[in-house]
Amino acid sequence: MSASSAYPSSVITFTFPDNPFYGRVNDPTGAVVYQLDLTKGLLGGKKASSISRIGPKGSFKPVGEINWGGWTSSKNVVISGIDCGRLLVHRSTGLFSSGEYWFTAGDGREYYWKKKECFADSGRRVATYTQRMTRLLHSNIPASLSVDQSYSAPAVLDFIVVSALMMEKKREDKEKSRRNAAVSGASASATSSGGGGGGGC
C-alpha cells in the first residue's frame, strides 16, 4: 500500500522524558498528558503496562492496559474498556519486508504501523515514533511521538500511543534476540577454536 511521505503542517510532538515504557508523556508545552506505569515480573521483564490520560485539573483517567504475556499468560490489550485481544495484526507485504501491523482505533477506522511510522488505511501518515537516543557526555534525547493533529482526538490518540509502545517493545525484543544470538555465536566460536589442545612433554 502506498503511503504519502509528507506531514501536514500541524503536527503535535509528544515526548517521553523518563522512559519509553514508564513515567510521563508530555505535550509540546511540557504539560503531562499521559502517565505510563510498568509492572515487572520476577525476572525483571515487562509484565504489564497501564496508561492513564491526565485531565486539565491533574485528574487521572485510565485508558489502556497491556498484559505483555509470558510463560503463564497471553498478550492482551484493553483500551477505553474495549478488549482488543493482541491489538496488532501482522500482515505480510513481501518476502523481505517486515510487514505491517494493523489495528482498529476507537473511531472504527483501521490504521497500521510500518516500522516507526503509523498510517491511516488511506495511506496518509498520521504518526512517527522516534527512539530514545543515549549520548556519551551529553544529555540523552528522549523518545518522541509526532502525531498529525487531525488524529489527536482521544478516540484515536489513545490507540496510537498504546500501539506505539507495542511496536517499541517488538523492536526491543528483536534487538535483544540479535544480541543474544551474537553472544551465543561468539561463545560457540571460542569453544570450537580452543578445543583441540593435547599432548605435553
Side-chain angles (χ1 to χ4, degrees):
M1 180 174 293
S2 62
S4 59
S5 59
Y7 262 128
S9 57
S10 53
V11 173
I12 304 173
T13 297
F14 301 93
T15 56
F16 302 71
D18 302 310
N19 185 279
F21 293 100
Y22 59 82
R24 301 160 294 164
V25 181
N26 295 347
D27 69 10
T29 71
V32 181
V33 290
Y34 287 97
Q35 175 70 32
L36 311 178
D37 293 294
L38 176 67
T39 302
K40 294 188 177 182
L42 294 176
L43 300 180
K46 294 176 178 62
K47 182 179 180 181
S49 291
S50 62
I51 301 92
S52 298
R53 195 184 317 119
I54 311 302
K57 294 184 179 180
S59 59
F60 278 64
K61 180 181 179 180
V63 297
E65 297 180 2
I66 306 173
N67 179 346
W68 292 109
W71 295 106
T72 59
S73 62
S74 300
K75 181 180 294 182
N76 190 71
V77 182
V78 176
I79 305 177
S80 299
I82 302 172
D83 189 334
C84 303
R86 299 177 67 87
L87 183 63
L88 297 176
V89 177
H90 181 259
R91 298 182 187 178
S92 177
T93 56
L95 183 61
F96 300 105
S97 171
S98 60
E100 300 165 347
Y101 289 88
W102 288 72
F103 64 95
T104 301
D107 62 350
R109 295 179 57 185
E110 287 191 312
Y111 300 82
Y112 66 94
W113 283 92
K114 192 173 182 67
K115 295 185 177 179
K116 300 176 185 177
E117 296 181 311
C118 182
F119 301 90
D121 56 2
S122 64
R124 178 175 178 172
R125 183 171 61 174
V126 301
T128 298
Y129 182 84
T130 302
Q131 294 170 223
R132 177 177 57 176
M133 293 180 60
T134 302
R135 304 185 301 176
L136 294 175
L137 305 179
H138 295 280
S139 299
N140 295 336
I141 299 176
S144 63
L145 179 66
S146 297
V147 180
D148 179 342
Q149 191 170 12
S150 300
Y151 298 85
S152 62
V156 180
L157 183 59
D158 291 348
F159 283 79
I160 291 176
V161 170
V162 172
S163 61
L165 297 181
M166 298 181 71
M167 290 299 295
E168 175 62 5
K169 178 68 162 51
K170 287 180 181 294
R171 184 204 64 78
E172 185 183 78
D173 290 346
K174 185 177 294 185
E175 181 62 28
K176 183 178 180 180
S177 296
R178 187 180 296 118
R179 289 198 304 267
N180 289 342
V183 170
S184 297
S187 177
S189 177
T191 301
S192 62
S193 63
C201 296

